[in-house]
Amino acid sequence: MRINLGDTAPNFTAATTHGIIDFYEWLGDSWGLLFSHPEDYTPVCTTELGMVANLKGEFTTRNVKTLALSVDDLATHQAWVKEIEETMQVKINFPIIADDKKEIAELYGMIHHNSNENFTIRSVFIIGPDKKIKLTLTYPASVGRNFDEILRVLDALQLNDNFDVVTPANWEQGGKVIIDPAIPAHELEEKFPAGYEEVKPYLRYTAQPK
Ligand code: BEZ
């Protein structure tokens, strides 16, 4: 199945390293980061899961719960987690789904059959508190993801959710943002009392709202 932006994230029940979860119940009112990795006991995946664990504080600050998935079974996950903790020197503080029947992987289109029949590629889904898909990313098995970029995207999504702004190319936390082009000129003074810079009628910068 192909999951597109704006779709409702499919719910599921899954066996994980933290017990059985109902995805929606587990998410509650949080944002979600659901990401697949190809296989347990592989080097790139080991670094990715260690990195997500290291960034736990950053995800929590943003009200984001993280959930990993591969098509290995629970016993394999549990044994591998011990090795990730040893090699990456961090506690794996989030659940990993054991999707050995590939049900959730197929539900979310995480197996790209022309790439590899047997395991999930590196898919990322960011899910909003409304359970809608806000972002998807697809990386091949050979390329580890940049989780700083995923935090950056979360910040941009949450800014857009809370204020009438969008973020320019290479935007970083604290940088100037762009006023949503849908905001008509006559509303600008009221909505952006601290000021804005109009380069073109469609390109209007303002300071990042707090
Ligand atoms: C890895 O995580 O290192 C990996 C997994 C599958 C294929 C290639 C690399």
Side-chain angles (χ1 to χ4, degrees):
M1 181 162 149
R2 185 184 161 83
I3 306 250
N4 290 322
L5 300 187
D7 289 354
T8 299
N11 195 22
F12 54 80
T13 303
T16 81
T17 49
H18 289 190
I20 292 181
I21 64 166
D22 172 277
F23 187 44
Y24 278 16
E25 268 180 30
W26 176 82
L27 278 173
D29 294 329
S30 300
W31 289 68
L33 175 73
L34 172 64
F35 65 105
S36 59
H37 62 273
E39 219 177 355
D40 292 357
Y41 292 105
T42 50
V44 177
C45 300
T46 299
T47 61
E48 286 193 327
L49 270 64
M51 181 58 69
V52 171
N54 259 315
L55 292 171
K56 169 92 172 171
E58 297 292 336
F59 287 114
T60 303
T61 301
R62 292 163 176 82
N63 190 29
V64 179
K65 289 185 173 174
T66 60
L67 181 58
L69 176 150
S70 77
V71 297
D72 299 280
D73 64 26
L74 198 53
T76 310
H77 278 347
Q78 282 160 342
W80 179 47
V81 159
K82 290 194 189 121
E83 292 201 4
I84 305 174
E85 292 181 343
E86 175 201 331
T87 54
M88 299 292 113
Q89 303 203 326
V90 65
K91 184 100 191 122
I92 297 301
N93 43 26
F94 59 91
I96 309 171
I97 296 172
D99 190 30
D100 44 324
K101 294 203 180 79
K102 300 186 178 161
E103 288 168 349
I104 301 162
E106 293 292 2
L107 184 63
Y108 273 80
M110 293 165 165
I111 297 178
H112 289 200
H113 293 270
N114 291 331
S115 170
N116 193 302
E117 281 289 344
N118 298 321
F119 57 63
T120 42
I121 40 86
R122 300 188 197 280
S123 290
V124 178
F125 297 91
I126 294 180
I127 295 142
D130 58 359
K131 309 291 183 289
K132 300 286 184 200
I133 301 288
K134 306 293 182 185
L135 173 130
T136 65
L137 278 175
T138 302
Y139 275 47
S142 58
V143 181
R145 285 158 285 197
N146 183 331
F147 288 91
D148 289 338
E149 166 62 4
I150 289 171
L151 291 171
R152 189 192 76 91
V153 170
L154 280 161
D155 286 342
L157 287 168
Q158 293 183 350
L159 262 182
N160 178 248
D161 241 30
N162 294 326
F163 305 100
D164 294 316
V165 298
V166 295
T167 47
N170 287 19
W171 171 83
E172 296 281 356
Q173 191 56 248
K176 64 186 181 179
V177 296
I178 294 171
I179 297 173
D180 188 331
I183 304 298
H186 68 267
E187 291 181 13
L188 293 177
E189 299 293 341
E190 186 199 327
K191 288 203 158 150
F192 299 93
Y196 61 92
E197 173 202 352
E198 182 170 308
V199 180
K200 292 282 178 192
Y202 57 83
L203 178 57
R204 303 162 303 183
Y205 289 104
T206 191
Q208 179 181 322
K210 298 272 185 293

